[in-house]
Amino acid sequence: MQRRYLSLAAAGLTTAMTLSLSACGSSAGGGDVTLKLVAADYGDNEANSSKHYWDKLVKDFEKQNPNIKVEVSVYSWKDVDKKVEDMVKSGKAPDMAQIGAYADYAAEGKLYSADQLLSIPVHADFVPALAEAGEYQRIQYGMPFGASTRRLFYNKKLFAEAGITDPPQSWSDIAADAAKLKAKGVKMPYALPLGPEETQAETLMWMLSGGGSYTDSIGKYTIDSPQNVKTFEWLKKNLVGPGLTGGDPAKLNRQDAFNAFAAGDVGMLNGHPTLMKQAESKGIDYGTVDLPGADGKAKATMGVADWMTAFKQGGHRDQVGKFLDFVYNEKNVMDFSGEYGLLPVTTSGSEAMLADSKYAKLHSFLRQLGGAEFYPANKTSWPLVSKTVKAKMGTAVSANGNPAGVLSDIQNTANEADNAGQ
């Protein structure tokens, strides 16, 4: 199976929040070691910030391990990767960082591998597809922390008003349904967010639905493959050209598309589980289906993972391992997944979620996880390639865009970056 990866890029707070989360109940002076963890914020306001999750978890851990204190700094997704990068460059790497990438740090020999940290039962409990996606040169350095898959969301009320009785199963269905929605005055029949926030995600979803991807089975970039060129030529001709996206996709960011869906202005879009809560909070009656493909259901969906990493610099391998064993116990995994509408990254957590009817709306996302495909996070060239996709991909489907030319440009950048990293 190909190893691909995507940062969830969950909506985070706009300002960094640093919080020392040492347990109040610990005995004074009882800590022999203080671990430092930098974590990303999965909340979209202070009330549901991840700092509350970590506060409780650390308090419970320190009660059981009074000789280990844990200080957690929580930052928005917009800031957290850069914050860790700056810490590492200044020679002050945290003991742990829960972030969006791991390959660069692994390539530089800065990380402990998962098997150096975790007990055998905990290490073996990761969902296999996620464990594999966290490997660099066949050794797991990225420990999955949050996960999701993608499905097509549609607004049931808008579909009914347009006389659409069934959700789309293929590209031709998407185009036909979008035309009916436009005729009924829907502002954005199909939301296509190719703006800079998360272009690389929408791009991969469409690549997969067209039978392509970023890389092949041996990890070679295939960005300008015939399948991918055909996919974006279809988008330009059949969705963007006829005005079925409600505007220029290059200027539409993912969160803005989600907000528009929750406001009742979008007929269809690709989304992840957190959109369910946002839509429900605004009273939107929605449905989800597997990603439509060129001639029927897509063969694969996009898998999403963020990564827990552990840096060697502090030398606290045993204490970090003990803490991460606690982080990944079934209760804590389920508490986190339930709070933020994400999928458990462990097999035990996945089985528990599938057995619990209160998570019924997540079951369709969870069943896709084992066969999902991820970004090529195991390639040190991926950050530059992702940045290039964000900068250029939206122009491929614009009025004067040239999908083949844009994909070729990105392919050339990818090849150069890949060769430079070897």
Side-chain angles (χ1 to χ4, degrees):
M1 177 179 175
Q2 285 177 269
R3 291 172 291 188
R4 299 196 177 103
Y5 144 93
L6 169 66
S7 171
L8 293 171
L13 302 182
T14 58
T15 57
M17 296 178 299
T18 303
L19 180 67
S20 175
L21 301 180
S22 294
C24 299
S26 297
S27 58
D32 297 329
V33 170
T34 298
L35 302 178
K36 296 185 183 297
L37 165 64
V38 174
D41 200 333
Y42 290 81
D44 56 10
N45 59 66
E46 189 169 355
N48 69 0
S49 170
S50 298
K51 68 179 182 181
H52 303 299
Y53 169 79
W54 287 112
D55 190 8
K56 183 179 185 305
L57 184 148
V58 168
K59 188 173 183 179
D60 292 344
F61 173 78
E62 289 186 359
K63 284 180 180 178
Q64 299 177 27
N65 301 274
N67 63 323
I68 306 174
K69 289 186 179 295
V70 184
E71 294 180 355
V72 184
S73 299
V74 179
Y75 295 90
S76 74
W77 269 110
K78 179 172 66 72
D79 299 321
V80 67
D81 287 317
K82 183 63 165 58
K83 180 66 177 178
V84 173
E85 180 184 343
D86 291 344
M87 293 172 72
V88 173
K89 285 182 178 178
S90 67
K92 298 178 181 178
D95 294 287
M96 293 164 284
Q98 184 263 302
I99 49 178
Y102 65 86
D104 282 354
Y105 299 128
E108 294 167 359
K110 297 182 182 297
L111 301 179
Y112 289 117
S113 60
D115 62 356
Q116 290 177 310
L117 298 164
L118 303 173
S119 64
I120 292 175
V122 172
H123 189 200
D125 196 29
F126 287 130
V127 173
L130 293 173
E132 186 178 1
E135 293 180 0
Y136 174 73
Q137 295 185 346
R138 302 189 179 277
I139 297 174
Q140 186 185 357
Y141 293 96
M143 292 163 278
F145 186 75
S148 75
T149 57
R150 296 294 196 264
R151 293 174 67 77
L152 180 82
F153 284 67
Y154 64 97
N155 184 311
K156 290 184 176 181
K157 179 182 177 183
L158 296 181
F159 266 51
E161 291 174 348
I164 305 170
T165 57
D166 298 308
Q169 302 293 322
S170 67
W171 289 358
S172 59
D173 291 342
I174 287 178
D177 292 347
K180 292 176 183 177
L181 291 164
K182 182 182 180 182
K184 282 294 183 178
V186 175
K187 292 181 181 179
M188 207 175 292
Y190 189 97
L192 185 64
L194 293 176
E197 180 188 355
E198 206 186 32
T199 320
Q200 79 283 7
E202 191 72 16
T203 296
L204 178 55
M205 282 181 271
W206 278 98
M207 285 178 169
L208 291 172
S209 70
S213 191
Y214 281 118
T215 60
D216 62 17
S217 60
I218 60 172
K220 184 179 183 296
Y221 282 114
T222 54
I223 294 167
D224 63 350
S225 69
Q227 297 95 321
N228 291 340
V229 171
K230 182 179 178 181
T231 293
F232 286 91
E233 287 178 341
W234 185 91
L235 279 172
K236 179 184 176 183
K237 178 182 178 181
N238 295 280
L239 287 187
V240 183
L244 301 180
T245 57
D248 184 357
K251 297 179 180 178
L252 181 65
N253 282 324
R254 192 278 318 270
Q255 191 57 52
D256 293 332
F258 279 17
N259 293 343
F261 185 81
D265 294 332
V266 173
M268 299 172 277
L269 82 170
N270 293 329
H272 54 66
T274 58
L275 178 57
M276 295 192 297
K277 184 178 290 187
Q278 184 177 355
E280 289 164 2
S281 71
K282 299 296 185 180
I284 299 298
D285 186 15
Y286 66 89
T288 73
V289 293
D290 292 347
L291 297 185
D295 301 307
K297 186 175 72 171
K299 294 180 180 179
T301 188
M302 184 177 73
V304 178
D306 299 317
W307 307 103
M308 179 70 75
T309 58
F311 288 86
K312 294 178 179 179
Q313 184 179 336
H316 299 142
R317 188 180 81 172
D318 291 344
Q319 293 87 352
V320 168
K322 182 172 287 189
F323 178 66
L324 291 179
D325 271 359
F326 187 77
V327 167
Y328 286 107
N329 72 35
E330 184 178 317
K331 178 184 181 301
N332 289 327
V333 168
M334 290 302 294
D335 284 349
F336 176 78
S337 301
E339 174 65 25
Y340 296 105
L342 296 170
L343 307 180
V345 297
T346 59
T347 300
S348 60
S350 298
E351 291 171 349
M353 180 172 279
L354 285 172
D356 194 332
S357 60
K358 77 177 181 179
Y359 297 112
K361 290 184 177 180
L362 284 171
H363 289 174
S364 59
F365 291 89
L366 183 55
R367 291 191 182 99
Q368 297 179 145
L369 186 59
E373 297 194 13
F374 298 80
Y375 284 165
N378 58 321
K379 298 171 76 68
T380 58
S381 56
W382 172 245
L384 176 61
V385 174
S386 176
K387 182 179 179 180
T388 306
V389 170
K390 289 182 179 183
K392 295 185 176 182
M393 203 63 229
T395 65
V397 297
S398 65
N400 298 317
N402 177 3
V406 171
L407 290 168
S408 179
D409 286 346
I410 299 172
Q411 177 74 39
N412 290 338
T413 298
N415 288 341
E416 291 175 7
D418 220 17
N419 293 334
Q422 291 177 356

